[in-house]
Amino acid sequence: MWASKRAGAVPGSVFALMDAAKERARATGYSVIDLSIGSSDQPPPEAALEALRAATRDPATYRYPLFSDTRPLREAAAAYLQRRFGLAVDAEAEVLPLIGAQEGLAHLLLAVTDPGDTLLLPDPCYPPYLGAAAVAGLNVLTLPLLPERGFLPDLDAVPANVRPRVLLLNYPNNPTSAVADTAFFARAAAWCRSRGALLIHDHPYAELTFGDYRAPSALEAGLTGSVELHSLSKTHHLGGFRVGFAVGDRQAIAALARVKSTVDFHPYLGIQRAATAALGLPDEVGRTGARVFQQRRDALVPALRHLGWEVALPQASMYVWARVPGLEDSVAYALRAAETTGVVVSPGRAFGERGEGFVRFALVQPPELLTEAARRLAGVPVQDEAPLPTR
Ligand SMILES: Cc1ncc(COP(=O)(O)O)c(C=O)c1O
């Protein structure tokens, strides 16, 4: 009775099902290898933790932070964007701290759309995008991300009469690990201009790149008409601290600040100081974390290929997206795998219809456990041949 239509429209999550399966596997005595959630298992940089520790001893951090208090973090973000992507950003009007990119997206949609507006979303996508769209009352149209197109959407295939308010993209991509180049973002920005849409680029994996590959910013094609969401969750392993920032079109940033002013008071100052310290660190610190994920990728991908699975070698992100030959029900498969081997993966279907036939591995365990997971999965039937064991 007390759930609004808006709350009721937020889709349920397959991850709750997987969590229950994980518990059943544990109860049966399996050692669980959990590769389902993309939460970094690495520690944050010591400089960030030290800044936070010191802040907790500074009474000036105990009050509500005001916008002016966010200046050091906004300036650190602008300096990072300049250093890393060559972007000239006005830290006063074009950057806003967030309580994570996920919070930022939900509020940004509320800030720049009206109920009934159209949102163009990739399929598959990070599941909370659908919840954020539901909360904002948006009409969602999906853009298929297909392996034969490198998991990049075909914007030219969108009918000319479709006038979305927002196009939402994410590269390096969750769940597919695909990457996009500067030319793609320039085309996407031009397409958005031609359709009167705002381009939102969700960029939490900006620094989780492997070898010589460096992910570009969508804003290299210009700030007007685009907003990019950055996060310190993955790049600096600060997921639990909830901090990131939005950057881009000043009207959209002002609208976001307005919506957020009714909801929160910016992140705790100590967390802002931790993020400021993290953003000021030399690039090499971030590279070290990325190399850990790269080593894990290098352990898991050959092990999955050995099973006959189709897996591209990711250039970025913390995921491996594998197409399993013959797989028709990835949710049933993932439940079966969890309950009969203790290996917990994310079913591709959890990310959208186009995710069916795939499973996603989060590279959040050491290489030896990843190869052990692949070894255990070799014994799991792809189709539901036998009924699940009853216990
Ligand atoms: C594409 C994408 N966006 C946003 C987030 C969440 O970022 P944050 O921790 O900054 O809210 C994630 C986390 O997995 C993600 O994969």
Side-chain angles (χ1 to χ4, degrees):
M1 168 180 187
W2 290 117
S4 64
K5 292 196 184 85
R6 186 181 300 118
V10 174
S13 157
V14 175
F15 295 97
L17 266 183
M18 294 309 302
D19 197 37
K22 201 182 329 181
E23 282 310 301
R24 285 196 290 278
R26 269 202 194 101
T28 318
Y30 286 114
S31 64
V32 166
I33 306 179
D34 190 354
L35 307 174
S36 61
I37 308 267
S39 185
S40 177
D41 59 323
Q42 297 184 51
E46 187 47 38
L49 293 178
E50 194 39 51
L52 177 58
R53 279 187 210 108
T56 63
R57 293 189 291 270
D58 176 2
T61 69
Y62 300 166
R63 59 184 170 74
Y64 291 129
L66 301 173
F67 179 71
S68 57
D69 293 316
T70 68
R71 182 174 298 121
L73 175 52
R74 285 184 280 114
E75 285 178 351
Y80 159 77
L81 294 162
Q82 170 75 65
R83 189 174 79 232
R84 179 60 177 76
F85 305 106
L87 297 175
V89 169
D90 176 353
E92 202 56 26
E94 293 170 334
V95 183
L96 190 69
L98 299 175
I99 305 175
Q102 187 169 328
E103 172 271 315
L105 177 69
H107 287 136
L108 182 57
L109 291 182
L110 289 175
V112 300
T113 66
D114 288 302
D117 282 349
T118 296
L119 168 66
L120 265 186
L121 272 186
D123 176 10
C125 72
Y126 178 55
Y129 291 171
L130 293 167
V135 168
L138 302 179
N139 165 35
V140 171
L141 289 184
T142 53
L143 287 168
L145 302 187
L146 304 175
E148 53 272 26
R149 293 188 57 86
F151 299 107
L152 295 172
D154 183 1
L155 294 171
D156 295 333
V158 179
N161 62 348
V162 173
R163 313 288 297 183
R165 178 73 173 164
V166 171
L167 166 65
L168 174 53
L169 297 174
N170 155 233
Y171 293 98
N173 183 257
N174 178 9
T176 68
S177 292
V179 297
D181 61 15
T182 316
F184 170 80
F185 285 123
R187 280 200 304 280
W191 186 91
C192 283
R193 273 194 301 278
S194 74
R195 303 281 177 115
L198 180 75
L199 172 62
I200 300 180
H201 182 231
D202 189 21
H203 208 7
Y205 303 99
E207 304 305 331
L208 290 197
T209 58
F210 308 143
D212 294 334
Y213 176 72
R214 292 286 178 281
S217 162
L219 301 182
E220 289 167 37
L223 270 72
T224 306
S226 299
V227 175
E228 193 160 74
L229 303 173
H230 287 256
S231 165
L232 283 91
S233 297
K234 324 283 180 177
T235 58
H236 297 87
H237 320 291
L238 285 162
F241 296 75
R242 315 306 302 128
V243 62
F245 57 90
V247 51
D249 188 285
R250 53 182 69 214
Q251 285 178 7
I253 295 290
L256 175 60
R258 206 161 165 154
V259 166
K260 274 172 64 64
S261 72
T262 71
V263 181
D264 67 69
F265 261 105
H266 315 291
Y268 164 57
L269 260 175
I271 289 176
Q272 290 189 44
R273 289 185 190 171
T276 304
L279 287 170
L281 290 170
D283 286 353
E284 193 39 39
V285 176
R287 308 303 309 149
T288 310
R291 269 197 294 277
V292 171
F293 291 115
Q294 183 174 347
Q295 280 160 5
R296 296 172 178 181
R297 171 202 74 169
D298 291 342
L300 183 62
V301 168
L304 294 178
R305 287 182 179 163
H306 190 70
L307 300 181
W309 294 15
E310 293 163 35
V311 194
L313 192 70
Q315 285 182 278
S317 88
M318 55 195 292
Y319 306 107
V320 169
W321 183 240
R323 198 215 288 261
V324 185
L327 183 62
E328 285 170 9
D329 185 343
S330 56
V331 175
Y333 172 79
L335 289 171
R336 192 158 56 241
E339 295 188 354
T340 60
T341 70
V343 175
V344 191
V345 295
S346 293
R349 183 67 184 80
F351 303 92
E353 273 171 40
R354 302 281 177 170
E356 190 49 279
F358 290 82
V359 293
R360 191 199 72 174
F361 294 79
L363 297 168
V364 293
Q365 303 282 351
E368 56 283 7
L369 282 184
L370 294 169
T371 46
E372 165 65 11
R375 197 191 59 72
R376 290 193 204 171
L377 289 177
V380 180
V382 167
Q383 303 293 351
D384 191 4
E385 287 158 358
L388 283 177
T390 46
R391 47 181 75 98

